[in-house]
Every structure is written in structure tokens, then in C-alpha cells.
């Protein structure tokens, strides 16, 4: 088995955070929550699990990290719908800040180029 041609049940997806490797039961177990919680955050559109050929929900590591953030808020007493909205807004803010930083770097680079 080589890095370019991996074999096994996950193929080359061991390092892929977006690969839907976990069943609903396993995901709930890993998060220490119920399958109902995962359904609820799906209904709130925080995450959208992929479906297997048999129609079963499958979750990626990235989705589980998002679900864990929502679970932490719910554990602190935040209603599930509000927790999902908070996580969504936090992600939007982080993305906006990243874009602003890129614009600032580009503007600073343009300023130093025209100043010389």
C-alpha cells in the first residue's frame, strides 16, 4: 500500500475531514449525545449529513466538530435552535474576518509597491 494508492475500507480518505465516515450511531456515541440531537441540528440546518446508498445518515469529522460546538452550547442551557444559529454566525464572522485580513494584506502590499 502506498500513499498515492491507498487501499482499505476508507481508501484515501483517512485524512479527509469532509469524508462521511461515521454512522449516526457512532457519531452520537463519539459526541456523547443522542441520535435525536443529531437529527435536531440537521433540521436546524447546522449540518447536513450525507446519505449512504441505503439512505442512512453519514457524518464527517468536520461535521462532528460543528456538532460538538452546538452540543457545548446546549449543555450550557442554550436552546438547540439558538445554539445552531450562534455556531453559524460565529463561522460567518470568522470567514468575514479572514477575508478582511486578506484585503488588508493586499492593500498594504499594493501601498508598499507603489511607494517604491
Amino acid at each position: 500500500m502506498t500513499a498515492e494508492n491507498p487501499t482499505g475500507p476508507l481508501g484515501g480518505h483517512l485524512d479527509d475531514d469532509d469524508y462521511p465516515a461515521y454512522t449516526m450511531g457512532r457519531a452520537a456515541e463519539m459526541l456523547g449525545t443522542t441520535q435525536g440531537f443529531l437529527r435536531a441540528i440537521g433540521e436546524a440546518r447546522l449540518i447536513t449529513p450525507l446519505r449512504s446508498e441505503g439512505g442512512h445518515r453519514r457524518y464527517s469529522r468536520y461535521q462532528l466538530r460543528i456538532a460538538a460546538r452546538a452540543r457545548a452550547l446546549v449543555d450550557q442551557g442554550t436552546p438547540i435552535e439558538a445554539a445552531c444559529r450562534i455556531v453559524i454566525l460565529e463561522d460567518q464572522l470568522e470567514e468575514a474576518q479572514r477575508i478582511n485580513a486578506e484585503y488588508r494584506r493586499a492593500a498594504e502590499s499594493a501601498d508598499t509597491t507603489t511607494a517604491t
Side-chain angles (χ1 to χ4, degrees), residues 4-87:
E4 296 83 31
N5 189 19
T7 59
L10 293 178
H13 302 290
L14 284 176
D15 293 331
D16 186 353
D17 270 358
D18 295 319
Y19 184 73
Y22 304 99
T23 63
M24 178 180 271
R26 179 68 179 130
E29 179 183 315
M30 290 171 68
L31 293 171
T33 190
T34 64
Q35 293 181 12
F37 174 81
L38 291 173
R39 284 188 206 94
I41 63 173
E43 289 170 12
R45 297 191 178 153
L46 178 61
I47 59 175
T48 303
L50 292 173
R51 298 282 183 150
S52 68
E53 290 179 15
H56 301 282
R57 291 174 179 89
R58 306 283 296 193
Y59 297 88
S60 68
R61 286 187 300 212
Y62 173 74
Q63 289 173 324
L64 295 183
R65 283 195 301 272
I66 291 172
R69 289 169 53 199
R71 181 175 185 261
L73 289 168
V74 170
D75 287 349
Q76 295 171 7
T78 306
I80 196 162
E81 296 82 10
C84 291
R85 187 68 181 138
I86 289 167
V87 171

Side-chain angles (χ1 to χ4, degrees), residues 3-4 77 87 91 112 116:
E4 296 83 31
V87 171
D91 285 350
T112 58
T116 55

